[in-house]
Amino acid sequence: MTRRLRRRLSHLGKNKEIVDSNSEISDGGCLHLNTIRDIDWTTLPDDTIVQLFSYLNYRDRASLSSTCQTFRLLGSSPCLWDSLDLRSHKFDIEAAESLSSRSRNLQKLRFRGADSACAIINLQARGLREISGDFCPDITDAIVSVIAARHEMLESLQLGPNACERISSDAIKAIALCCPKLRRLRLSGVREVSKDAINALAMHCGNLLEVALMESENVDEMALGNLTTVQFLSLAGTRNLKWGIASQVLSKLPKLEGLDVSRTDISLSFIRRLISWSENLKVLFVLSCPVFEAEVDNDMVYIHKGKILLTVCNDIFKEVSSLFADASESNMLPYWRSLKIREQSLDKIVLWIEWVLSHSLLRVAENNQKELDIFWVKQGTNLLLHLLQSSEEDVQERAATALATFVVIDDENATIDCQRAEAVMQNGGIQLLLDLAKSCHEGLQSEAAKAIANLSVDSKVAKTVAEIGGINILASLARSMNRLVAEEAAGGLWNLSVGEEHKGAIAEAGGIKALVDLIFKWPFCNDGVLERAAGALANLAADDKCSMEVAMAGAVHALVMLVRHCNFEGVQEQAARALANLAAHGDSNNNNAAIGQEAGAIEALVRLTYSQHEGVRHEAAGALWNLSFDDKNREAIAAAGGIVALVSLAQSCSNSSQGLQERAAGALWGLSVSEANSVAIGQEGGVASLIALARSSDADVHETAAGALWNLAFNPGNALRIVEDGGVPALVHICTKSLSKMARFMAALALAYIFDGRMDEIAAVGPSSDGDIKSVTLNVVKRISLKHIEAFVCSFSDSKTSDTVIKLSAPTALTQVAEAACIPEAGLLRCSAAEIGRFVAMLRNHSSILKACSAFALLQFTMPGGRHATHHTNLLQNAGAPRILRAVAASASAPFEAKVFAKIVIWNLEHYHVDANSRNNG
């Protein structure tokens, strides 16, 4: 295909060469990459370049304009600067002055916040026709008055949808006096709209067609009758209206075609009066009006003399379709939208209906009324999906925001209504949202990404998003220079990364690098984008393979930077969680060590354990727990004050969540592997804190508290503290009652350590009378403890099978008993040479119960498949354990269980010895 390039525009100057060349384009009009590289873009026709500029946001336009003189001139073309959307930018006086040279032909402006409103006058855009401001609760009468005075050509002014509580009737009077060409005025949350303000609009704005005075406390009802030119009026959410007067006045407005009284206290009788008395009224909105809905009969026919009533009780699509003279379907709106030539008066009505619907449905979604569940599933969802396809960008945005809102049940706990989410999915809503996310309009991108993010909490929706390319789209949006877009895209990746099946796809789409870059890109005042990025990285880091990619992308430095310098609790929580997950894969990569080597990482995590926010303490303790598995990190945590911090946390968290209790005890468990740390924990009061946690009703807390007490009990001084602080009854309770086998196992080991005889000498120190009391007390406590240790060990043996083991030592019987006795989680434990020596000593010198307990423990540590089984077998070989185990197995006086478990351990040792020799010989 050959395409002739058109002649360049003359405004570039007489000396510019006129290009009239051919360009070969193949593959159905798509340029090959080689062809694209060879193109001299400055030789393209001016109108083509201008068209390319129109698809770029303002930032990218400026970047492209700076590349050459040709693009600088074309980038300043008036048609590219007829509208500005400044909502996502820091728009101040300096920014306004820099744009003023390009704003002479500006027609439409959207901004966010009162600070941006103050800067509008510095644009010098005297020809502005439309101004729309979002989230302006602090905008004042003075600001609005100055804007109105500087823009006398204004035809449309919209401030909302949030309340503008600092605006009064004075601002409305200023608008009326300064903007005689005003056609549309939409204000939200003006406390009181007086008679003088409404009369000023009626007197000075002869072209006024649409007025919306929403969410107001008071509006003068009688004065509304003077708005004789108005065709569309919204009083939605307005309180304290006297409907007797209002219905009479409004029904007499000569040109009123559309009236919105949604979210008011209007009753059925006044609705009937409006329908009966109004001659030109065609559409009456009564959405979410509790008084009316309590009185109305769902089977009522609302059409009266060509008028339609739109409520949650009827079929809104069907009612709107009755506006069309040739309506052949219950939903004529898609057909109407497809028409190239449409009736102008009907076009205005339908566009107003879409605007009211988008605004009202968003408000209804924000209120989250349970009684509207049926409405949302039956027609509300389809209404929002229809609005996504509107020709009006603000309607599309608000519909996407409503979809993001109506699906959420509990924002704090990320709980959504799965029935509503699946209704969106089943009606093609995910594809519509992804199409909007690919738009060149950043407002649509951010709201569509927010909706996708919230809907993706549902696993079925998340699967659909992934299947139709949503992950690639979100990863691309996460690279946006627009903070709002990047923030919502990161939120989408955060929710999608919950699913294990999506983690790899996010990595393949470049999502990990994009998320890490977000942390470096945005300053620490942007908590939303940083929290979402860190949260997504935390989920991805939980996967072994992805955790390596997360670290390689520079996430360790980025996350440490957040925990060190960011003061937002949500960011701190997610960054600490991400570091905890990165550190959890110590056996498969070096992330754990890498975090410890990052300057200030451990100190920052220790500091976060003092946070006032429980979630931050929870994740910081979890990170320290995981980091403590590395020897160097363990000592660094202690050096950074981690022992004092974690003991303090354990002392203060008895009434906190079970997750925090588990992690506080777990971190102390990890630190107590070191003998020096164990002694320090005991001296700082850690024993009493852990005993308190051991009394928890949660099995996970039992595990970590018992594990920490087991380590602490290795030291005789700590063992005595455990007895004196009442720890034995707590350990006995866990050993007997806990739902966790692992917790029962470690409680038994802790009790065995306490009463293996090493503590006796310390306990006897003191006056003779005290010594006698201690001796008696210890004997009682010891007898009780040994009884429960015996019961625990015996619960893992079957006399019939065990007898076969003792007599025959048959491999099948050995395996059968071993599998029945195995506690899988115990295979994760790693004992030091000293601890292994302790168990061997129990086999040699102690009571029959401790012999059985020791043999049972060694069985757990040497089971094939255990993470550290080879390590433990080597230590046992070095300690001469096989000889002692054989002696126990052959002993006539050894308890039955000790013989059985000793035989299994011998078999395990021989098995590993054979495997090791085979590997060496091979």
Side-chain angles (χ1 to χ4, degrees), residues 419-474:
Q419 188 178 14
R420 296 181 188 179
E422 290 174 24
V424 174
M425 177 180 66
Q426 291 166 3
N427 289 283
I430 304 303
Q431 187 63 64
L432 289 173
L433 287 167
L434 289 175
D435 289 342
L436 287 185
K438 292 186 289 186
S439 163
C440 59
H441 298 289
E442 292 177 332
L444 289 175
Q445 290 175 358
S446 64
E447 296 308 316
K450 181 192 297 181
I452 294 165
N454 288 358
L455 290 162
S456 294
V457 173
D458 181 85
S459 58
K460 294 178 182 177
V461 174
K463 182 180 178 182
T464 300
V465 170
E467 288 175 347
I468 60 178
I471 288 176
N472 285 319
I473 293 172
L474 290 172

Side-chain angles (χ1 to χ4, degrees), residues 158-176:
Q158 177 173 315
L159 297 175
N162 57 308
C164 302
E165 296 181 346
R166 298 183 66 184
I167 294 179
S168 71
S169 295
D170 291 341
I172 298 175
K173 287 188 283 186
I175 293 167

